[in-house]
Amino acid sequence: MGKVSVSPDLLLWACDRSGREFDDLVVKFPSLHSWIYKGGKPTFKQLEKFAKATYTPFGYFFLNKPPERKMPITDYRTIQGLSKVKHSPNLLETIYTMQSRQDWLRDYLIDSGVEPLKFVGSANITDHPHVIARMIQRSLGIESGWASSMNNWENAVNGLRAKIEDIGITAVINGVVGNDTSRKLSVEEFRGFALSDSYAPLIFVNGSDSKSAQIFTLAHELAHIWLGGKGLSSLEFLLPGSSEIEKWCNRCAAEFLVPTVQLKEKWLEFSEKEDRFRKLAKVFKVSPLVICRRSYDLYLIDKNEYLEYYNSYLSDEKERKKNAVSSSEGGNFYNTQNARIGIKFFTNILFAAQEGRIGFKEAYELTDLYGGSFQGYANHLKLELP
């Protein structure tokens, strides 16, 4: 079988960007060291497998030098003011996929004569975040403190996501790249992002995160949509270091989920109870850390108590993650597509394919559902295929 000439720099670049340990790749590809350092050449089949293992588009290996795939949206991720500049292929692929969906949906809606959404970009960072939080609640048609009526975090997340989609925002929650359960998205890298657009705004939430964190990310990214921006978030909001926009979005999200009036009322009931932050977190369906931060911001606790709880919680959280059994997003495959794709987005794709406005090949690519899976999801939603 013929060998393929590939630049060693491209092979090293692919190894580095994949995020996988070099030694692990050598185990899978014993000749990798020879390809890079001794002039060896892979076969076409070997290079195909290497591309798949490093999440690299196959055509990249025939370039003269490694391509520069820049972050296409503003990176708001900060820890103590330092931006994380390295972006994994999982993150970049997810953003580019969501942008492709948004671009298609925007064109489809414009061609269909749909009016732009007035709330997108209607807020300004000089507006009081509490005022905008109330505006978002009214737009969604929910009452202040609505989350306390939900039985659990999962219902709260699903309920909020449905409300968001009802007003024209695509809200995607996914913990993997597309439907590839071997490519889990890292919470340490990002929590979510917003792609603002007057016709087809989109919110993405990292589904690998806890439900209590997901609901805060949904609210945070909603605030970004109201500001009209596009950005990637890690929500490192509990200590100083975030940008002014991130701080504003966090305050808006906090008031949206844990309104000042309701928290102060509940504080009278729970303040003397053991583990009060966790108990209040169950009421408002947010992380105990969010409750602790809100309590500090509202002068219900002092800075020392806040920092003590903050450090203790993070330490416990690291221990829980270390001991947790890793699991992919399980459950019914088609039920998971409700969050990974969105019923409204899929319905628009299906109708466009039925009308001949796009081919089914493009429909499969936009939804990451191919052949039987595409038809199976349509059947699951009781939508008819031609």
Side-chain angles (χ1 to χ4, degrees):
M1 185 177 291
K3 301 294 183 74
V4 183
S5 294
V6 184
S7 165
D9 288 343
L10 284 167
L11 294 171
L12 283 169
W13 168 80
C15 292
D16 180 62
R17 75 182 288 276
S18 73
R20 301 183 64 173
E21 294 292 334
F22 185 79
D23 289 344
D24 292 340
L25 288 169
V26 169
V27 171
K28 191 173 181 66
F29 302 95
S31 300
L32 180 58
H33 196 274
S34 173
W35 300 343
I36 295 174
Y37 299 108
K38 297 183 179 180
K41 297 179 181 179
T43 65
F44 194 85
K45 285 289 186 183
Q46 286 174 327
L47 189 59
E48 279 187 324
K49 291 180 179 178
F50 181 73
K52 186 176 181 180
T54 56
Y55 319 123
T56 305
F58 185 67
Y60 282 11
F61 291 109
F62 299 94
L63 299 174
N64 293 324
K65 61 180 181 179
E68 185 179 358
R69 296 191 79 187
K70 295 181 178 180
M71 172 60 64
I73 58 179
T74 304
D75 190 346
Y76 291 119
R77 301 171 303 163
T78 56
I79 295 180
Q80 299 299 316
L82 298 176
S83 178
K84 309 169 194 171
V85 296
K86 190 172 182 179
H87 311 116
S88 74
N90 288 351
L91 169 58
L92 287 173
E93 188 171 327
T94 296
I95 294 175
Y96 283 115
T97 297
M98 293 304 111
Q99 286 184 318
S100 295
R101 290 184 184 179
Q102 183 184 56
D103 290 344
W104 180 88
L105 185 57
R106 174 187 170 82
D107 291 342
Y108 176 80
L109 293 175
I110 291 175
D111 289 345
S112 300
V114 174
E115 294 294 320
L117 300 168
K118 293 181 180 180
F119 59 78
V120 177
S122 62
N124 191 289
I125 197 170
T126 57
D127 295 330
H128 199 293
H130 288 201
V131 173
I132 303 304
R134 297 290 173 268
M135 291 177 62
I136 295 174
Q137 287 172 354
R138 287 196 294 271
S139 296
L140 295 175
I142 60 178
E143 299 292 330
S144 184
W146 59 275
S148 60
S149 64
M150 297 291 180
N151 293 331
N152 53 50
W153 275 273
E154 185 171 5
N155 287 344
V157 170
N158 291 338
L160 180 56
R161 193 184 67 80
K163 290 287 188 181
I164 291 170
E165 294 228 318
D166 283 345
I167 64 170
I169 302 173
T170 300
V172 178
I173 301 177
N174 198 354
V176 299
V177 178
N179 282 312
D180 189 346
T181 55
S182 69
R183 298 182 65 184
K184 191 170 183 179
L185 298 175
S186 169
V187 174
E188 283 69 31
E189 183 173 27
F190 81 107
R191 298 292 180 94
F193 57 83
L195 301 177
S196 191
D197 181 88
S198 57
Y199 286 92
L202 184 146
I203 287 171
F204 186 94
V205 173
N206 191 337
S208 296
D209 219 344
S210 66
K211 293 297 180 183
S212 62
Q214 288 178 30
I215 198 167
F216 193 90
T217 303
L218 275 171
H220 175 95
E221 303 306 342
L222 265 178
H224 273 292
I225 297 296
W226 250 256
L227 283 178
K230 300 184 179 184
L232 182 72
S233 306
S234 65
L235 304 190
E236 296 291 345
F237 61 95
L238 298 166
L239 286 176
S242 297
S243 71
E244 288 306 311
I245 289 178
E246 284 293 90
K247 289 177 183 177
W248 188 94
C249 289
N250 285 324
R251 288 196 291 269
C252 184
E255 182 62 25
F256 175 82
L257 294 170
V258 190
T260 300
V261 174
Q262 277 78 16
L263 179 57
K264 286 184 175 180
E265 288 176 353
K266 291 294 182 182
W267 186 260
L268 297 175
E269 180 183 347
F270 288 90
S271 62
E272 300 302 321
K273 293 187 177 182
E274 186 178 354
D275 211 359
R276 55 190 172 178
F277 300 126
R278 289 191 181 277
K279 286 182 169 62
L280 283 165
K282 289 182 180 179
V283 173
F284 291 98
K285 305 302 182 296
V286 294
S287 162
L289 219 48
V290 172
I291 294 294
C292 185
R293 176 68 197 214
R294 288 289 280 152
S295 303
Y296 170 60
D297 289 340
L298 296 175
Y299 304 103
L300 300 174
I301 61 174
D302 61 26
K303 187 175 182 179
N304 288 335
E305 183 177 356
Y306 166 68
L307 290 176
E308 182 180 350
Y309 188 83
Y310 174 89
N311 292 323
S312 173
Y313 183 90
L314 289 190
S315 177
D316 292 344
E317 193 72 4
K318 286 180 181 178
E319 194 63 29
R320 279 193 294 271
K321 286 182 179 179
K322 188 195 309 182
N323 297 327
V325 177
S326 177
S327 62
S328 61
E329 293 180 51
N332 182 282
F333 173 78
Y334 294 121
N335 284 338
T336 63
Q337 302 311 308
N338 294 341
R340 288 181 181 177
I341 301 173
I343 295 174
K344 289 194 173 183
F345 179 78
F346 181 83
T347 302
N348 284 325
I349 288 284
L350 179 62
F351 288 170
Q354 289 174 329
E355 294 167 358
R357 296 166 71 170
I358 61 170
F360 274 95
K361 182 177 183 296
E362 184 179 358
Y364 296 163
E365 291 172 349
L366 283 166
T367 59
D368 201 35
L369 293 173
Y370 295 85
S373 295
F374 187 91
Q375 181 166 352
Y377 187 46
N379 293 340
H380 177 77
L381 297 177
K382 296 182 171 56
L383 300 172
E384 292 184 2
L385 282 168

